Amino acid sequence: QVQLVESGGGLVQPGGSLRLSCVASGSVFSINTMAWFRQAPGEERDLVATIYSDDSTNYADSAMGRFTISRDNAKNTVYLQMSSLKPEDTAVYYCNAEIRDYTSRTRHYWGKGTLVTVSS
């Protein structure tokens, strides 16, 4: 069994910053791609940022220049540093990771999400 658990969400004022974390635990042999998605009420889940096994990254246009994705392979953790937050960043943020377990099976896993609310 593999679990992804996000943390770090909360209420922040416009212009503020927040750091999200996502830890993979359980039968984790190796982790390839890790990513953050978000879903606002009534909208589809959208990709925010991706980090690959070589530490290269990609960002959605909405995140470019404001968000930074990083990973700590020793801790099986991916982070999302968010700054200059806007009300439109309000959403549930989900972690996704491509994980190979100890049975050599590779699949994508999702966390349950952490809520980020940007409001004054």
Side-chain angles (χ1 to χ4, degrees), residues 2 4 7 12 15 30 37 41 43-44 46 77 81 98 104 107 110 113-114 118:
V2 173
L4 293 180
S7 62
V12 62
S30 63
F37 288 73
E43 298 188 13
E44 295 184 351
D46 294 324
T77 300
Q81 178 68 48
E98 183 184 18
S104 296
R107 54 161 285 193
W110 288 96
T114 184
V118 184

Side-chain angles (χ1 to χ4, degrees), residues 80-95:
L80 186 67
Q81 178 68 48
M82 304 185 293
S83 60
S84 302
L85 284 162
K86 307 173 183 179
E88 50 263 44
D89 294 318
T90 295
V92 178
Y93 284 71
Y94 296 91
C95 174

Side-chain angles (χ1 to χ4, degrees), residues 25-95:
S25 63
S27 182
V28 178
F29 179 76
S30 63
I31 305 177
N32 298 322
T33 303
M34 306 183 83
W36 286 96
F37 288 73
R38 69 184 183 186
Q39 187 168 21
E43 298 188 13
E44 295 184 351
R45 190 173 299 188
D46 294 324
L47 177 63
V48 176
T50 305
I51 185 165
Y52 300 93
S53 57
D54 63 356
D55 285 340
S56 62
T57 58
N58 278 319
Y59 294 92
D61 288 345
S62 59
M64 190 76 68
R66 298 188 301 126
F67 295 1
T68 301
I69 189 171
S70 61
R71 61 192 289 171
D72 184 333
N73 294 325
K75 297 181 179 180
N76 289 341
T77 300
V78 62
Y79 304 98
L80 186 67
Q81 178 68 48
M82 304 185 293
S83 60
S84 302
L85 284 162
K86 307 173 183 179
E88 50 263 44
D89 294 318
T90 295
V92 178
Y93 284 71
Y94 296 91
C95 174

Side-chain angles (χ1 to χ4, degrees), residues 5-23:
V5 178
E6 302 97 334
S7 62
L11 174 63
V12 62
Q13 293 187 342
S17 299
L18 214 53
R19 188 196 197 202
L20 306 183
S21 300
C22 171
V23 180

